[in-house]
Amino acid sequence: MKRIIIVFSLFVLATTLSAQVYLDSSAPLEERISDALSRMTLQEKINMVHAQSKFSSPGVARLGIPGIWCTDGPHGIRPEVLWNEWNNANWTNDSCTAFPALIALAATWNPDLAPLYGEMLGEEALYRNKNVVLGPGVNIYRTPLNGRNFEYMGEDPLLASRMVVPYIEGLQSKGVAACVKHFALNNQEHNRHGYNVHISDRALYEIYLPAFKAAVTEGKAWSLMGAYNLYNGEHACENEYLLKKILRDEWQADLCVISDWGGAHNTDLAVRNGLDLEYGTWTNGLTINNSEYHAYMLAEPFRLGILEGRYTEQQLDEKVHNVLRLIFRTSMSTNKGFGSMVSEEHLKAAREIAAESIVLLKNEGGLLPINSNEQNLLVVGENAIKMMTVGGGSSQLKVKHEVSPLEAITLCSEHVVFERGYSSGENYIQDNVDFHEQLSDPRSAEQMKHDAVEAAKQADIVIYIGGLNKKPHQDCEDSDREQYNLPYNQDELIEALLDANKNLVVVNMSGNAVAMPWAERVPAIVQTWYLGSEGGNALADVLFGKVNPSGRLPFTVCRQLSDYPAHQFGRETYPGVSSGNYDELYYSEDIFVGYRFTDLAGQKQKTVQKLMNAKNVRPHKPLYSFGYGLSYTTFDFGKAQISGREMTKDGSLQVQIPVTNTGTRAGKEVVQLYIADLKSTLPRPLKELKAFQKVELMPGETKTVSFSITEDMLQYFNPDKHQWESEPGDFEAVIATSASDIVARLPFKLK
Ligand code: BGC
């Protein structure tokens, strides 16, 4: 014993006396890490690879190395929770700015807004002393039932990639790490811990991985969160193929892999397959109130495994190395400031992003924008008054203020009456935070509807504000939606309002597409999202014309659920079929996700069958296409030009098209470039988004939009050779304003 104490004391003395490179912020990062690592005891290292509380993990106090504090994410900084529990700590100084949900950011189609979002969020994280924001999420929108689509960036890998990179850059410029989540294939919440995805490599690489890859290789995210689900029979947080082969070997990621909270299951796999830092594991009773952190997969079982020779210290060192890199980049960064909370600047950014995300789907007879003071307005719908920052799961926020649509509309017009129309029942209390909302109504559903309809008869314009609401099954973590139609009989209510008053504006607030059986009859439809602190103001900005809408759909809106490719094949493709231990879930639609599937409507059934290698699939034209959105002004396109008709593999072609604002208001148009491979050995979608640009134009102004086509835009993933490649032959550059609104097709050949 005496000998052990002497050796340990000498070790401590040596590590204290030798030059402390790890504390020298001017020294190269990898040298600092190696130096810190060389000073740590086995126990100190073990402590660093698992949590010490719900959201923190320790550093090494003896060496002056601080720990890591994580926070949700991704739309604002989560209120403080108790040390060992999910429940709120009831702090009074942790109210934040809620930024619009990430689906809204994607709907702006404006990558210039993403760094602003990231920076503002980073400042709030700094103020709260958080080092890692658990987001952004980039899981692809596969089904409109997925309860967390509002936290992600839509159905297209290119759109998600272009939006996620600047978000990460903005956030990390503040010294706060992004934690890209949930890697990978977490495309539904139903049974999220217990489904096992079967997917082709082609669909994995072409559809589900690109946004993660962009986040890691271009955005240089400092951390990444594994998903709950399984893939190929292994949980994603311990998945060899995802974490070792793809993330580390192919993408050369130098980030820290963090488990989702409770996503680690097996010490052996966690040790071997690349998990660095374990959080939230549900050891015996931990979720209730029991701090058994020593029992985590990467705690005692790992340490004993090393002592007993089942694992090596080298395996532990690799993980600590990644954790230290994260610490040096964040909690030990000497560049970060102090941050700020709910500043004017943050609220301004939240409002700007929110307003730019709103999508005008229909505007017959120019019902919108509303001329504020000349008309009697009736606002109907619970979402006009409900706090939308409440609920949804881990992304719930405690905001300093949230402007509701009704408040904002009332500020814009003196003639506003409100009728509830429907009620979603009691308020939803999550994590013990009661916002004291009054959501229940003593009237019967029939009475509420009747009162709204009677009021509609007296109004000049009815603004209906409904949709989903972030309660369980209504866009909320850990549960999927149970129907595609709106809940609480809203469809019936909308039809009844329409019968009473033709001047009806329907504002659908959701993070997912919803069925709109009334779409043909309603003259004006607005798709909006969970817009954050300034949501009401942003919506009013658009309704009253202060902001000209320029959001575009980040997903396809089908007429019915069965029109989505994931719902064409029965339970095998959603929600999965039980095999005993897990639900087996087959991504049989393969690469034909979203518009890649609905684009096939109108093709011969034989062609569809051949492309999709499936019999009973029936694509239908969507109600509203991916990329679609209207404006209060109009745009005209001039003649599109391409710089040549042939392209070599290392060459490029330039595409140009003039766009003119032909209306009387300034506005923004989103010009989208899709590429169509006209003949290919492997089946390919009819076209795929490869670039887009948002242009702002004054009335009468013309700007020329240019795109450069390079060979990587023509590639597909060849699963046999396990590589990206392009095939010489005929292609088209398709310029469009949505997946269905094609402006020009420019043919060219790849030599
Ligand atoms: C969610 C993550 C979240 C984590 C911490 C998990 O249940 O899936 O997205 O970041 O909890 O709250």
Side-chain angles (χ1 to χ4, degrees):
M1 188 62 187
K2 219 170 171 190
R3 198 182 290 162
I4 294 175
I5 293 172
I6 293 171
V7 171
F8 182 72
S9 311
L10 285 175
F11 174 77
V12 170
L13 196 66
T15 57
T16 320
L17 291 182
S18 57
Q20 293 169 317
V21 179
Y22 74 99
L23 290 178
D24 175 3
S25 58
S26 65
L29 184 60
E30 297 306 309
E31 277 176 35
R32 295 179 72 192
I33 296 171
S34 304
D35 180 47
L37 199 56
S38 71
R39 296 164 187 273
M40 289 160 60
T41 65
L42 180 66
Q43 186 62 56
E44 284 168 342
K45 290 180 199 174
I46 285 285
N47 291 348
M48 289 191 83
V49 295
H50 64 275
Q52 62 173 354
S53 75
K54 265 277 172 246
F55 283 96
S56 74
S57 51
V60 184
R62 179 180 68 83
L63 297 174
I65 297 176
I68 297 172
W69 281 88
C70 300
T71 174
D72 284 298
H75 313 129
I77 306 307
R78 181 175 178 154
E80 210 59 39
V81 301
L82 295 174
W83 188 255
N84 292 329
E85 291 176 59
W86 292 112
N87 276 351
N88 210 270
N90 287 327
W91 282 18
T92 49
N93 58 353
D94 57 352
S95 302
C96 69
T97 305
F99 295 90
L102 286 193
I103 194 75
L105 180 63
T108 66
W109 286 65
N110 185 351
D112 292 342
L113 290 176
L116 179 70
Y117 191 128
E119 284 163 23
M120 304 293 107
L121 183 68
E123 285 178 4
E124 301 229 342
L126 282 180
Y127 186 85
R128 289 274 313 285
N129 257 316
K130 303 299 179 194
N131 313 118
V132 178
V133 168
L134 303 173
V138 285
N139 293 96
I140 290 291
Y141 186 111
R142 177 174 179 255
T143 159
L145 299 189
N146 179 13
R148 292 188 92 172
N149 276 338
F150 74 95
E151 292 187 62
Y152 303 143
M153 298 204 191
E155 74 180 32
D156 183 77
L158 186 272
L159 175 64
S161 302
R162 297 289 50 94
M163 300 306 294
V164 77
V165 169
Y167 171 108
I168 294 170
E169 288 169 344
L171 177 61
Q172 295 191 162
S173 72
K174 297 289 170 182
V176 177
C179 184
V180 193
K181 68 191 189 184
H182 307 90
F183 189 66
L185 301 168
N186 188 179
N187 309 101
Q188 69 183 48
E189 286 299 287
H190 179 85
N191 194 16
R192 62 179 175 164
H193 297 275
Y195 69 83
N196 177 31
V197 176
H198 301 259
I199 184 175
S200 73
D201 255 3
R202 181 128 187 251
L204 181 66
Y205 277 78
E206 289 191 14
I207 306 291
Y208 296 95
L209 291 183
F212 284 105
K213 183 178 182 193
V216 171
T217 60
E218 292 176 56
K220 308 245 178 287
W222 293 335
S223 65
L224 168 140
M225 185 190 290
Y228 281 138
N229 51 280
L230 299 97
Y231 158 60
N232 277 351
E234 257 172 20
H235 280 101
C237 288
E238 309 157 345
N239 192 290
E240 186 177 4
Y241 197 68
L242 292 175
L243 297 178
K244 284 182 86 173
K245 180 165 166 47
I246 296 174
L247 185 70
R248 295 291 183 201
D249 295 351
E250 294 182 7
W251 301 349
Q252 296 284 303
D254 73 353
L255 47 67
C256 177
V257 176
I258 300 179
S259 71
D260 198 345
W261 270 233
H265 297 266
N266 177 309
T267 299
D268 245 29
L269 294 177
V271 168
R272 295 184 208 284
N273 291 343
L275 178 66
D276 296 318
L277 182 48
E278 181 186 3
Y279 274 101
T281 301
W282 299 317
T283 54
N284 187 14
L286 183 62
T287 41
I288 312 167
N289 185 11
N290 191 348
S291 45
E292 295 183 9
Y293 300 100
H294 63 277
Y296 273 36
M297 312 294 143
L298 294 183
E300 267 307 272
F302 191 10
R303 194 182 73 89
L304 290 177
I306 293 174
L307 294 179
E308 289 160 10
R310 277 176 285 119
Y311 313 122
T312 63
E313 194 159 346
Q314 172 64 24
Q315 284 172 314
L316 173 60
D317 284 357
E318 278 171 24
K319 295 180 194 302
V320 179
H321 203 100
N322 292 329
V323 174
L324 278 168
R325 200 185 285 111
L326 179 61
I327 291 178
F328 284 124
R329 284 169 163 166
T330 57
S331 52
M332 278 182 87
S333 157
T334 46
N335 293 330
K336 58 185 195 328
F338 298 102
S340 54
M341 202 77 172
V342 203
S343 69
E344 287 278 313
E345 212 189 346
H346 296 181
L347 293 173
K348 191 166 162 270
R351 182 167 178 168
E352 185 187 348
I353 297 164
E356 192 153 334
S357 73
I358 295 170
V359 186
L360 180 64
L361 292 176
K362 193 173 174 190
N363 194 17
E364 252 173 35
L367 191 54
L368 291 174
I370 294 164
N371 187 342
S372 32
N373 264 327
E374 285 163 23
Q375 289 146 318
N376 290 316
L377 305 179
L378 169 69
V379 176
V380 181
E382 188 177 278
N383 286 357
I385 54 167
K386 183 187 176 305
M387 289 180 77
M388 285 298 167
T389 47
V390 175
S394 56
S395 63
Q396 166 169 285
L397 296 170
K398 183 167 104 190
V399 280
K400 193 144 187 197
H401 75 262
E402 177 175 344
V403 181
S404 74
L406 184 62
E407 275 173 78
I409 291 171
T410 311
L411 286 178
C412 294
S413 166
E414 288 163 15
H415 313 289
V416 183
V417 173
F418 175 68
E419 263 302 335
R420 186 69 170 268
Y422 72 92
S423 160
S424 67
E426 297 297 320
N427 35 332
Y428 173 54
I429 299 179
Q430 192 194 293
D431 306 335
N432 235 14
V433 203
D434 191 351
F435 292 91
H436 303 289
E437 290 192 274
Q438 274 313 320
L439 292 184
S440 61
D441 194 301
R443 289 173 294 174
S444 68
E446 213 31 59
Q447 187 66 47
M448 269 188 277
K449 182 172 144 194
H450 173 267
D451 293 349
V453 169
E454 286 309 305
K457 291 179 186 161
Q458 314 303 318
D460 293 317
I461 297 183
V462 180
I463 308 172
Y464 180 80
I465 305 180
L468 308 179
N469 59 18
K470 293 168 86 179
K471 287 182 167 184
H473 304 292
Q474 310 296 345
D475 279 354
C476 185
E477 182 175 337
D478 207 15
S479 65
D480 278 352
R481 294 168 64 200
E482 293 173 326
Q483 57 177 41
Y484 187 45
N485 282 76
L486 287 174
Y488 322 118
N489 286 326
Q490 291 180 73
D491 289 337
E492 252 180 65
L493 175 60
I494 291 171
E495 297 281 358
L497 289 170
L498 203 51
D499 291 340
N501 192 325
K502 297 282 166 258
N503 290 333
L504 175 65
V505 180
V506 171
V507 177
N508 177 60
M509 193 180 285
S510 63
N512 262 311
V514 302
M516 299 185 177
W518 27 260
E520 312 297 331
R521 290 185 68 208
V522 173
I525 306 176
V526 175
Q527 173 64 44
T528 187
W529 323 97
Y530 308 118
L531 293 180
S533 294
E534 289 289 313
N537 283 332
L539 180 61
D541 286 347
V542 166
L543 294 178
F544 292 93
K546 193 165 160 195
V547 168
N548 190 350
S550 67
R552 300 291 182 262
L553 288 176
F555 50 68
T556 306
V557 180
C558 288
R559 287 176 192 274
Q560 49 193 4
L561 185 64
S562 57
D563 289 353
Y564 286 94
H567 297 274
Q568 291 255 322
F569 299 83
R571 293 186 64 84
E572 275 193 5
T573 53
Y574 182 87
V577 283
S578 174
S579 65
N581 290 341
Y582 298 109
D583 280 357
E584 306 299 332
L585 181 64
Y586 297 84
Y587 284 24
S588 309
E589 74 282 12
D590 207 59
I591 51 174
F592 293 93
V593 172
Y595 68 88
R596 287 165 169 81
F597 179 64
T598 51
D599 265 4
L600 301 178
Q603 297 288 311
K604 288 200 185 101
Q605 190 55 23
K606 257 194 177 165
T607 315
V608 176
Q609 280 181 11
K610 201 169 154 213
L611 278 172
M612 295 190 63
N613 191 24
K615 276 207 173 131
N616 293 322
V617 279
R618 302 230 172 256
H620 292 289
K621 275 204 174 355
L623 180 60
Y624 294 111
S625 298
F626 171 76
Y628 180 77
L630 298 171
S631 164
Y632 293 150
T633 186
T634 45
F635 301 99
D636 245 18
F637 286 83
K639 194 169 163 25
Q641 291 187 322
I642 188 160
S643 59
R645 293 292 174 189
E646 282 187 354
M647 189 178 128
T648 54
K649 287 213 170 183
D650 50 4
S652 67
L653 287 175
Q654 310 312 314
V655 169
Q656 292 199 323
I657 188 155
V659 200
T660 305
N661 180 344
T662 49
T664 52
R665 280 170 181 267
K668 294 179 185 174
E669 176 61 297
V670 179
V671 188
Q672 302 160 33
L673 173 74
Y674 296 79
I675 296 285
D677 187 349
L678 299 187
K679 207 166 161 217
S680 58
T681 314
L682 289 180
R684 297 200 72 178
L686 296 192
K687 64 179 189 305
E688 295 183 283
L689 185 73
K690 292 297 165 184
F692 59 90
Q693 265 182 52
K694 195 165 199 176
V695 267
E696 181 165 20
L697 295 163
M698 295 302 128
E701 191 185 8
T702 301
K703 277 184 187 162
T704 296
V705 173
S706 311
F707 295 107
S708 187
I709 302 178
T710 45
E711 190 261 341
D712 55 306
M713 294 179 173
L714 315 184
Q715 291 180 347
Y716 55 90
F717 188 78
N718 183 331
D720 297 330
K721 298 192 195 153
H722 198 83
Q723 67 186 28
W724 288 91
E725 60 185 29
S726 57
E727 209 172 18
D730 292 332
F731 290 84
E732 266 177 2
V734 181
I735 298 176
T737 53
S738 88
S740 302
D741 296 288
I742 301 202
V743 175
R745 291 179 180 276
L746 302 162
F748 68 95
K749 260 189 199 326
L750 175 69
K751 296 250 284 185

